[in-house]
Amino acid sequence: LPSSQGFAQLCEWIGKLLGRTLLRPDRVAVCAKNLNKDITSSLRDGDSVCGAMMHRLTAHQLLPEHADATPQATPATSATEATAGAGKRRGRKPAAKEAATSATGSLHVLSAELAETLVGARNDVAIGLLCQRPLVRALLDRMAASSSASSAAADTSKTSEPCVAVCDAAAILEELRRAILMDMATGVSNALFIQISAPETVEEGKDDEALVALVHAQLDSALHHLHTSQATQPHPSPPPSALPRKRSRTSKSVPNDIAGAEAVGAQGEMLMGEGGVERWGVEELAMVVAVKGSDSSYLEMAVPCALHKKSTDFAAVQLLCELLSRSEGPMWERIRGKGLAYHAGLDLWPWSGHIGFSLAECADPAAAFAEMVAILTECRAQLAAKDEASKQELTAALAEARASMLFSLHSKRATAGAAASTAAKGYWWGIAEPELEAAHEAAEIEAVDAAALQRVFERYLVPLLSPGQRCTCVVCPAGKDRSMALSLQKVLGLKSGGVTVASLPQLLMPGA
């Protein structure tokens, strides 16, 4: 804010947004309709659907109790049968061109059992695009039915009142807000982290503790308002000053070094575990979905990679991905340069515990994937090579990748908004002092050598080269799903029927 009092005003806004906003039924109705439009648009975007599929297929791996027995897809006796079944679901006759693929191999079609499982209890953590659409549509359907019933039973002058469905939704959202912000039974605040970025000169004369006190004053007031505004209070309302907090985080309340993560996490906060994001019951999965309106294909492939930011392998894996995916690098030249895909790259996805290979606006996913395998195979050989020419080439490539990563590292802190976002992410990693994080990351990047790259390649990237732990999601234009599945089956090295063909309605509404 362009004001010397910007910090105090932001603190006031935080309090108002968290505890004093009104969740009015008429606004809930408008938001539901807008959400439905946005989701409908996203479901026509191949990249969005591909990411949602990955989330859907792998989220259950985050739950240890569901590590066993993933339901299998139903094998079709031929591609003709698979095509015919899909034709019935879409209400059209199977195309002759699709039926002609029956001689080239068999396919798996998504079974009702597996479709139900993917949106059931095993996947409660996958709150993504494919889950949002049915929820929002259900609310809109209830709204329409409630409106119709109200119109039939009352005068037209009263039909403008909020319908029962929207009032119920507003009440549920209010209950959710209270559950997120505080434990209403005990009056304990759940607000663990607030990040405000401001110049040091804005509030001269005030130390960190005084600035944090401004935040807490507004937060306490907001939480007290929520507590006292309950229709029925099962417990007496405590005064604002009596609302306990789980902890107060300032630069004076935590150890002044990068190793202070243990102290930050010792208070019971939900920080990233020391081992990163762990997964259970990982197995080979591959699925193809056709999307109407998409004129090109998209691919995401992921294998587990549980790494905490403090791990010595974290920077090495990031650097290896950058080396292979950077501008004018191997994937740029040999996949994009050949016109196989507009984008191709490897990335570390630490928040989901994956290393991912992705293709965007791809003309031939099977050919692009085969080229990626060739690139990784050659890289593996180069990392193990002992001749001087290979070492010099690797040293030059490593220097370029390191420079690119260091530039990105400092760019993330070049603006107030970017610095605040980076600090917030660092908090959930257990980083005690954000200003020390950049120096620590830079030192880790500089320390990576060829031996470290070879070590992390063998440990984390080799699973991409053969079946076992990969999850592959492909979105393609309508009518090309079966031929796409058969071509991918071969390059992925899977047995007959190893790639499942699903329709988008199945993923949205199992059993439909």
Side-chain angles (χ1 to χ4, degrees):
L1 295 175
S3 166
S4 61
Q5 299 301 315
F7 186 93
Q9 191 167 355
L10 285 175
C11 292
E12 181 182 352
W13 287 0
I14 287 173
K16 288 181 177 179
L17 289 172
L18 290 180
R20 297 181 182 274
T21 50
L22 299 177
L23 301 178
R24 290 169 22 193
D26 57 331
R27 291 299 304 160
V28 171
V30 172
C31 290
K33 294 175 182 177
N34 290 340
L35 272 174
N36 185 57
K37 292 179 182 178
D38 293 341
I39 293 171
T40 300
S41 177
S42 295
L43 290 173
R44 297 191 187 102
D45 176 62
D47 196 24
S48 298
V49 174
C50 198
M53 286 172 59
M54 178 63 68
H55 198 41
R56 170 67 57 85
L57 292 177
T58 62
H60 71 277
Q61 298 168 359
L62 300 172
L63 307 174
E65 63 269 29
H66 299 302
D68 303 324
T70 297
Q72 299 300 311
T74 301
T77 56
S78 68
T80 304
E81 181 179 325
T83 305
K88 291 178 182 178
R89 285 191 300 274
R90 292 194 292 265
R92 63 173 177 81
K93 295 180 179 180
K97 184 176 180 180
E98 290 180 337
T101 62
S102 61
T104 61
S106 63
L107 296 172
H108 272 173
V109 294
L110 186 64
S111 66
E113 179 189 11
L114 179 54
E116 289 284 359
T117 298
L118 293 177
V119 294
R122 296 175 69 250
N123 218 35
D124 287 343
V125 290
I127 306 302
L129 175 65
L130 298 177
C131 290
Q132 293 168 2
R133 174 64 180 276
L135 292 173
V136 173
R137 285 302 312 171
L139 174 58
L140 292 176
D141 290 343
R142 274 198 68 202
M143 286 168 52
S146 182
S147 252
S148 298
S150 298
S151 298
D155 296 334
T156 55
S157 60
K158 298 181 179 180
T159 56
S160 60
E161 295 181 2
C163 67
V164 175
V166 180
C167 292
D168 289 346
I172 292 172
L173 289 174
E174 180 61 43
E175 183 181 351
L176 178 62
R177 170 167 67 170
R178 294 167 185 270
I180 291 173
L181 291 178
M182 67 186 301
D183 183 343
M184 300 303 293
T186 62
V188 176
S189 166
N190 288 330
L192 299 179
F193 180 82
I194 294 174
Q195 174 81 26
I196 296 179
S197 181
E200 292 183 359
T201 57
V202 167
E203 300 285 347
E204 289 190 24
K206 294 186 177 181
D207 60 15
D208 287 346
E209 297 294 344
L211 293 175
V212 170
L214 291 176
V215 179
H216 284 319
Q218 294 293 343
L219 183 60
D220 286 345
S221 176
L223 297 176
H224 180 64
H225 179 266
L226 283 181
H227 208 285
T228 56
S229 63
Q230 285 181 282
T232 303
Q233 294 186 38
H235 301 274
S237 174
S241 59
L243 288 172
R245 305 181 193 93
K246 291 186 177 179
R247 68 174 285 100
S248 173
R249 177 180 182 258
T250 73
S251 60
K252 296 182 179 180
S253 64
V254 293
N256 192 31
D257 55 51
I258 197 72
E262 290 79 8
V264 175
Q267 308 298 320
E269 297 178 359
M270 294 180 64
L271 304 183
M272 182 69 73
E274 293 184 358
V277 178
E278 298 182 18
R279 293 182 172 274
W280 291 265
V282 178
E283 60 183 358
E284 188 79 9
L285 296 168
M287 182 175 288
V288 176
V289 171
V291 172
K292 293 181 179 179
S294 178
D295 56 1
S296 57
S297 298
Y298 297 81
L299 178 146
E300 284 191 7
M301 172 181 284
V303 292
C305 180
L307 283 174
H308 194 281
K309 205 167 186 179
K310 294 187 298 179
S311 169
T312 55
D313 285 348
F314 191 90
V317 172
Q318 283 191 314
L319 198 49
L320 184 56
C321 291
E322 178 66 25
L323 187 151
L324 292 166
S325 309
R326 72 190 190 283
S327 179
E328 307 299 335
M331 292 189 182
W332 174 287
E333 292 182 350
R334 293 172 57 176
I335 297 180
R336 176 170 174 160
K338 292 181 179 180
L340 297 175
Y342 181 77
H343 162 80
L346 279 170
D347 293 286
L348 174 61
W349 300 336
W351 296 101
S352 66
H354 282 135
I355 283 181
F357 171 66
S358 57
L359 298 168
E361 298 183 35
C362 183
D364 189 343
F369 173 78
E371 193 65 40
M372 183 273 285
V373 171
I375 292 170
L376 290 188
T377 302
E378 293 170 15
C379 177
R380 188 182 190 185
Q382 186 179 27
L383 290 172
K386 304 298 182 182
D387 61 283
E388 195 61 31
S390 295
K391 290 182 179 179
Q392 290 180 358
E393 184 179 351
L394 179 59
T395 299
L398 180 55
E400 290 181 12
R402 183 181 287 117
S404 177
M405 279 195 63
L406 290 173
F407 176 80
S408 177
L409 172 69
H410 295 297
S411 297
K412 292 177 181 177
R413 296 164 174 82
T415 65
S421 176
T422 301
K425 293 176 181 177
Y427 173 83
W428 298 115
W429 282 110
I431 304 300
E433 282 297 321
E435 61 267 28
L436 298 178
E437 182 187 12
H440 175 76
E441 283 190 45
E444 290 289 321
I445 293 170
E446 293 285 1
V448 175
D449 56 14
L453 293 182
Q454 184 179 15
R455 183 184 71 252
V456 298
F457 188 103
E458 295 298 324
R459 182 171 181 179
Y460 302 109
L461 266 67
V462 165
L464 289 167
L465 300 176
S466 58
Q469 296 182 318
R470 303 173 303 187
C471 180
T472 308
C473 300
V474 178
V475 170
C476 65
K480 295 185 177 181
D481 46 356
R482 280 147 191 83
S483 59
M484 183 73 69
L486 292 171
S487 64
L488 284 169
Q489 186 172 277
K490 182 177 180 181
V491 296
L492 291 174
L494 302 178
K495 296 180 180 180
S496 178
V499 178
T500 302
V501 176
S503 66
L504 193 54
Q506 277 184 296
L507 296 180
L508 290 168
M509 298 170 290

